[in-house]
């Protein structure tokens, strides 16, 4: 019989790291569980014991929130606006990132810096002039008008992430393809595009989640209730004199459920993509 190797005791540093990680999990998961519990109560139960478990489950809160808040139309609007913005920003952002990372031209670094500056511009600073300009062009109260700022604010992050992925690719692949007669479009669509699938996934997920949860632009640019996105619709449950907490929390659970499911299913790909794009090959 072979003697089993004794496990080394955990060092104090490792124990502290585990404790911090557990605390972080509790901090992030506890609010979600609390919202789920509140959404299954009635308003009287929330007022009597806001942090306790529901004594009687009320799943009908979700059906009432769906119908009263018109979440179906809002869900379609959010999916349409965010989906189109995602595709357009990924397409043009990846092409700009490829040009910055793999092509040799004098202004590549200046272009990279220019796009990175866009990440530091808060939307609050340009909200009023942007709204005035869009009103003159007739782009307010339209889904297309909302897509334009979504795409614009998504491009800097997409370019930043995809540039790291394209720079990490071995240059020998492009040199071999050039010897075989491959052109610039072949470099991008036949070599860079397939190899950067993880980068596209990470960039796309961050872009989609950011636009999906965006409230300020959607609230200012859209006035038609049938064109409003999901975050704006959630504000309807808060009245000037009373708030229907159970339906509001039920609507919030419906709104965040898609993003939570995606993060849980593809958490490994997200970590792999972020680390792969940070290392140069």
């Amino acid at each position: 019989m072979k003697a089993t190797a004794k496990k080394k005791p955990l060092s104090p540093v490792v124990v502290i790291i585990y404790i911090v990680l557990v605390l972080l999990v509790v901090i992030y998961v506890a609010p979600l569980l609390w919202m789920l519990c509140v959404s299954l109560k009635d308003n009287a139960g929330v007022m009597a014991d806001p942090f306790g478990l529901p004594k009687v489950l009320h799943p009908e809160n979700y059906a009432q929130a769906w119908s009263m808040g018109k979440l179906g139309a809002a869900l379609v609007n959010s999916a349409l606006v965010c989906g189109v913005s995602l595709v357009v920003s990924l397409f043009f952002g990846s092409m700009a990132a490829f040009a910055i990372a793999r092509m040799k031209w004098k202004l590549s670094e200046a272009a990279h810096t220019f796009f990175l500056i866009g990440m530091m511009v808060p939307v609050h600073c340009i909200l009023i002039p942007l709204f005035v300009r869009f009103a003159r062009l007739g782009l307010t109260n339209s889904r297309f008008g909302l897509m334009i700022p979504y795409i614009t604010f998504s491009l800097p992050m997409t370019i930043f992430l995809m540039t790291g992925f394209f720079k990490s690719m071995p240059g020998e692949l492009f040199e071999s393809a050039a010897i075989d007669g491959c052109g610039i479009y072949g470099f991008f669509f036949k070599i860079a595009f397939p190899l950067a699938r993880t980068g596209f996934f990470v960039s796309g997920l961050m872009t989609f989640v950011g636009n999906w949860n965006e409230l300020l632009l959607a609230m200012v640019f859209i006035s038609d209730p049938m064109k409003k996105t999901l975050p704006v619709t959630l504000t309807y449950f808060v009245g000037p004199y009373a708030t229907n907490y159970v339906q509001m929390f039920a609507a919030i659970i419906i709104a965040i459920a898609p993003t939570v499911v995606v993060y849980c299913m593809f958490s490994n790909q997200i970590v792999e993509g972020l680390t792969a794009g940070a290392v140069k090959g």
Side-chain angles (χ1 to χ4, degrees):
M1 298 289 292
K2 294 183 179 180
T4 57
K6 294 183 178 180
K7 295 183 178 180
K8 295 182 179 180
L10 297 177
S11 64
V13 176
V14 175
V15 173
I16 293 175
I17 292 175
Y18 278 124
I19 293 175
V20 172
L21 292 176
V22 171
L23 290 176
L24 288 175
V25 171
V26 173
I27 291 173
Y28 284 105
V29 175
L32 296 177
L33 297 178
W34 178 70
M35 286 193 299
L36 181 62
C37 290
V38 172
S39 67
L40 293 173
K41 296 180 179 181
D42 55 6
N43 283 311
V46 174
M47 297 301 176
D49 188 9
F51 297 102
L53 296 175
K55 298 179 180 179
V56 179
L57 298 180
H58 294 274
E60 67 274 7
N61 293 335
Y62 287 86
Q64 295 173 0
W66 182 273
S67 60
M68 294 181 62
K70 299 179 180 180
L71 298 184
L75 191 65
V76 172
N77 293 330
S78 292
L80 177 62
V81 172
C82 296
V84 174
S85 303
L86 170 65
V87 174
V88 175
S89 62
L90 280 182
F91 180 74
F92 289 104
S94 61
M95 295 183 71
F98 180 78
I100 293 171
R102 307 304 312 188
M103 297 176 64
K104 303 298 181 182
W105 47 297
K106 294 182 179 180
L107 298 178
S108 60
E109 291 300 326
H112 191 208
T113 305
F114 174 77
F115 285 116
L116 292 182
I117 292 175
M119 297 174 60
M120 299 183 289
V121 178
V123 64
H124 309 81
C125 296
I126 62 173
L127 181 61
I128 295 178
L130 192 64
F131 177 80
V132 172
R133 177 65 62 180
F134 275 38
R136 292 176 180 175
L137 297 175
L139 294 176
T140 57
N141 200 27
S142 69
R143 301 181 186 92
F144 177 74
L146 187 60
M147 293 176 190
I148 296 176
Y150 279 9
I151 295 170
T152 304
F153 284 101
S154 300
L155 280 175
M157 178 60 70
T158 301
I159 293 173
F160 171 71
L161 293 175
M162 295 306 301
T163 299
F165 278 94
F166 291 138
K167 285 184 177 179
S168 66
M169 296 178 181
E172 292 78 5
L173 292 175
F174 300 97
E175 294 174 0
S176 302
I179 294 174
D180 293 336
C182 186
I184 186 65
Y185 295 103
F187 290 159
F188 178 75
F189 289 105
K190 295 181 180 180
I191 299 177
F193 191 90
L195 293 178
R197 286 180 297 179
T198 306
F200 280 108
F201 178 83
V202 174
S203 302
L205 184 60
M206 296 180 67
T207 298
F208 185 83
V209 172
N211 292 335
W212 184 270
N213 297 325
E214 198 282 323
L215 173 65
L216 183 60
L217 289 173
M219 182 178 292
V220 172
F221 278 72
I222 304 295
S223 58
D224 188 351
M226 297 307 297
K227 296 181 181 179
K228 289 186 178 295
T229 57
L230 200 55
V232 181
T233 307
L234 297 179
T235 62
Y236 292 164
F237 294 95
V238 180
Y241 305 106
T243 300
N244 194 327
Y245 290 102
V246 295
Q247 293 185 11
M248 180 181 68
F249 279 94
I252 293 175
I253 293 295
I254 295 174
I256 66 175
T259 56
V260 172
V261 171
V262 170
Y263 268 117
C264 293
M265 291 178 59
F266 302 103
S267 58
N268 293 333
Q269 288 82 348
I270 295 173
V271 175
E272 178 185 353
L274 292 174
T275 55
V279 180
K280 294 184 179 180

